[in-house]
Amino acid sequence: MRWLLLPFSLLYGFIVILRNKCFDWGIFKQSTFPIPVISVGNITVGGTGKTPHSEFLIHWLEEKFSLALLSRGYKRKTTGFLEVQEHTHVSQVGDEPLQIKQKFPDILVAVDEKRKHGIEQLLAFPNKPELVILDDAFQHRHVLPTYNILLMDFNRTITHDFMLPAGNLREPAFGKARAHCVIVTKCPRNLPETEMEMLKNDLNLKAHQQLYFTAFTYGGLIPVFNNIPRGDSEPGLQGSTVLAVSGIAQPASFYKYLQSLGTGQLIKIEFPDHHSFTGNDTLALKLQFEQIAATKKLIITTEKDAVRLRAVASKEVLEKLPLFYIPIEVFFLKGEETKFKTELLKAIKAE
């Protein structure tokens, strides 16, 4: 089937290359701003860990700068510029911006499909930001970022893939040349140095481009709703039957982590990426949970899915269930977090 789609991939690739050349030649204009702009993005479809890496940046930089995060608000039902509040409905802004606002209430979070316009709006705020993080903006070239971070999934390298629709690439792999650094995400914690070197050789980055490797670390279970006291939010997972609910692009690492905890049976319920949960979905989850014969049982979902589950109209059905999510954070391999921060700060201060 993939081979049948290759002619369409060639056509799509030609259009993308021509568009990028128009930016390179100055035919299409790029805007710069009087404040630093950090872009976090990828060149593949599907999850590469953009949200956890954006949260890593926010957690580190919010003590140094007045921050704003700007996203397009994928799958939202609105258009144009909109500031995200803690209690904004997920359908208005998308799950990722809402998740970030709820975790970092003191920063500005906004959505706008036109990033240039979005930054202009943010700079018009009375409490205008000193630094803007652009989420998923590697292809949004109307803004020229101060620092361009390209993420690549360890399990889906960009050098051996095809363009859409035959493959997963949004643009050819040589587009990585625009990045100031490349971060290989979702790596095993014990990734051998030899394999890192092989990936480095395979990517063949330019001399000025930095290469880093990160893994995910998982936090303790947190109730999706307030029906369970936080002190009781660490039920014993050893031997428990877990109903794992996911509506993300690449759930394999989520399942693998759950299995590593010594759970008993793992029952997987998968929805499409960024799925908007319905009342029927909640009733189906409740029914499937009740059909589990085991006495030790619970439901675990991802942090992103938790944001959307809280917004479902019939959430009272879920509030009666032992429903938890697992937060994730980014961990730099080889102890290179300090090096990454130093290089990024150097670029910001040179702005």
Side-chain angles (χ1 to χ4, degrees):
M1 181 65 180
R2 170 174 287 194
W3 302 106
L4 296 176
L5 296 173
L6 278 177
F8 301 100
S9 294
L10 291 171
L11 176 61
Y12 175 65
F14 173 76
I15 294 169
V16 171
I17 291 170
L18 181 61
R19 175 182 180 270
N20 279 329
K21 285 298 181 184
C22 286
F23 280 107
D24 296 339
W25 295 332
I27 299 172
F28 294 164
K29 301 301 181 185
Q30 292 183 288
S31 297
T32 58
F33 294 90
I35 62 170
V37 176
I38 301 171
S39 167
V40 181
N42 58 22
I43 59 175
T44 55
V45 294
T48 54
K50 293 185 299 292
T51 301
H53 284 80
S54 294
E55 291 178 350
F56 171 86
L57 292 172
I58 295 168
H59 183 73
W60 165 47
L61 291 171
E62 69 172 340
E63 295 182 357
K64 303 177 184 295
F65 300 92
S66 172
L67 285 184
L69 179 128
L70 181 64
S71 169
R72 64 171 169 161
Y74 183 63
K75 284 206 170 180
R76 64 183 172 124
K77 296 180 179 179
T78 57
T79 58
F81 180 86
L82 187 65
E83 183 183 1
V84 182
Q85 305 292 347
E86 289 182 74
H87 300 293
T88 305
H89 196 275
V90 67
S91 64
Q92 300 280 297
V93 295
D95 51 9
E96 293 159 343
L98 183 57
Q99 174 182 315
I100 289 172
K101 181 63 179 180
Q102 290 174 346
K103 291 180 77 169
F104 302 96
D106 294 332
I107 75 163
L108 274 172
V109 179
V111 292
D112 196 331
E113 60 273 17
K114 297 180 179 179
R115 308 307 172 88
K116 175 179 176 290
H117 177 261
I119 296 176
E120 291 169 345
Q121 294 298 305
L122 288 169
L123 292 178
F125 275 50
N127 57 333
K128 63 182 180 181
E130 299 170 328
L131 185 150
V132 173
I133 298 172
L134 295 180
D135 176 61
D136 195 12
F138 197 76
Q139 284 75 42
H140 294 266
R141 297 195 60 189
H142 289 286
V143 173
L144 182 63
T146 309
Y147 199 80
N148 219 345
I149 300 172
L150 175 64
L151 306 181
M152 182 187 81
D153 187 336
F154 171 80
N155 303 290
R156 299 182 301 132
T157 59
I158 61 176
T159 52
H160 303 284
D161 202 348
F162 295 97
M163 290 287 294
L164 289 167
N168 298 305
L169 296 181
R170 296 173 172 178
E171 62 175 293
F174 57 72
K176 67 183 184 295
R178 299 197 306 275
H180 292 88
C181 82
V182 175
I183 301 179
V184 182
T185 68
K186 302 184 181 180
C187 296
R189 292 288 293 265
N190 58 348
L191 183 64
E193 289 268 1
T194 52
E195 197 160 349
M196 293 183 188
E197 194 63 28
M198 287 173 60
L199 277 168
K200 180 180 178 180
N201 294 334
D202 192 35
L203 286 169
N204 192 28
L205 299 179
K206 296 183 177 181
H208 71 276
Q209 293 179 299
Q210 301 293 320
L211 178 63
Y212 301 98
F213 298 85
T214 62
F216 285 158
T217 58
Y218 294 83
L221 296 179
I222 299 176
V224 173
F225 300 100
N226 295 323
N227 58 330
I228 302 171
R230 289 294 290 266
D232 298 334
S233 64
E234 288 285 2
L237 289 178
Q238 193 73 31
S240 296
T241 297
V242 173
L243 191 61
V245 180
S246 67
I248 58 176
Q250 304 293 330
S253 57
F254 170 59
Y255 299 143
K256 186 176 180 180
Y257 176 71
L258 291 178
Q259 290 169 329
S260 74
L261 298 176
T263 55
Q265 185 181 10
L266 185 67
I267 304 171
K268 303 171 186 177
I269 300 183
E270 295 185 8
F271 294 92
D273 192 20
H274 298 277
H275 176 69
S276 296
F277 291 101
T278 65
N280 287 336
D281 292 332
T282 62
L283 290 173
L285 288 174
K286 178 177 181 290
L287 179 62
Q288 186 149 0
F289 180 75
E290 290 174 344
Q291 289 176 342
I292 298 172
T295 54
K296 289 180 63 178
K297 57 182 181 178
L298 67 160
I299 308 172
I300 301 178
T301 191
T302 70
E303 189 169 12
K304 197 181 297 185
D305 289 309
V307 173
R308 285 178 272 113
L309 284 167
R310 292 191 196 102
V312 73
S314 54
K315 63 182 181 181
E316 66 276 359
V317 174
L318 300 176
E319 287 175 333
K320 299 175 183 177
L321 301 174
L323 174 58
F324 300 85
Y325 72 89
I326 302 179
I328 58 176
E329 294 182 354
V330 168
F331 172 82
F332 278 77
L333 303 186
K334 297 170 57 180
E336 291 198 321
E337 179 178 325
T338 300
K339 179 184 175 183
F340 169 78
K341 290 178 176 179
T342 301
E343 292 294 328
L344 181 49
L345 279 178
K346 189 190 301 181
I348 290 173
K349 290 176 180 178
E351 174 74 0

